[in-house]
Amino acid sequence: MISNSVCEFRRCKFSTGFAQEGGALSFSNGGESESLIEDSVFDGNSADFYGGAVSIDGGASSVLFLRSTFLRNSANEDGGGLYVRLGTGARLFDSVMAGNRAQRDGG
């Protein structure tokens, strides 16, 4: 879990991760922080609850995704590829989401 931090991930591959929330990455209690994920791949990650690949929760956390790919991620509740809780933010540019699934909402 990444909490109250500014992080930058470039040219990373996150694969087959597993967690309760955010199988690869989980951002929480971010205050006014903004993180960057660039030219990265999230493939085959899963979560028990929210955000098979990435979960963004708490406060005004904001995550910017540039040229990133979300493939074959899954969540048992919401957000197979990406879960963004109300009051938080995510911006995606030139990114791909394909083959993600969730049991309830937002594959």
Side-chain angles (χ1 to χ4, degrees):
M1 177 184 297
I2 299 165
S3 180
N4 294 321
S5 298
V6 175
C7 299
E8 293 185 2
F9 296 93
R10 290 189 171 91
R11 295 173 297 283
C12 295
K13 182 173 183 179
F14 301 90
S15 61
T16 65
F18 175 78
Q20 287 187 341
E21 292 190 13
L25 294 173
S26 179
F27 294 87
S28 182
N29 300 320
E32 295 296 322
S33 67
E34 181 169 298
S35 295
L36 170 68
I37 299 173
E38 183 175 8
D39 298 317
S40 294
V41 175
F42 296 86
D43 187 6
N45 300 286
S46 60
D48 271 340
F49 300 109
Y50 308 108
V54 177
S55 175
I56 304 170
D57 183 14
S61 294
S62 179
V63 181
L64 172 61
F65 297 90
L66 297 175
R67 297 175 303 278
S68 293
T69 303
F70 295 78
L71 299 171
R72 298 178 293 270
N73 300 289
S74 63
N76 287 334
E77 291 193 19
D78 300 327
L82 174 63
Y83 178 77
V84 182
R85 191 170 304 254
L86 183 64
T88 61
R91 294 176 292 153
L92 288 85
F93 295 96
D94 297 324
S95 295
V96 174
M97 293 227 174
N100 300 293
R101 64 179 178 79
Q103 297 297 318
R104 291 193 324 189
D105 294 318

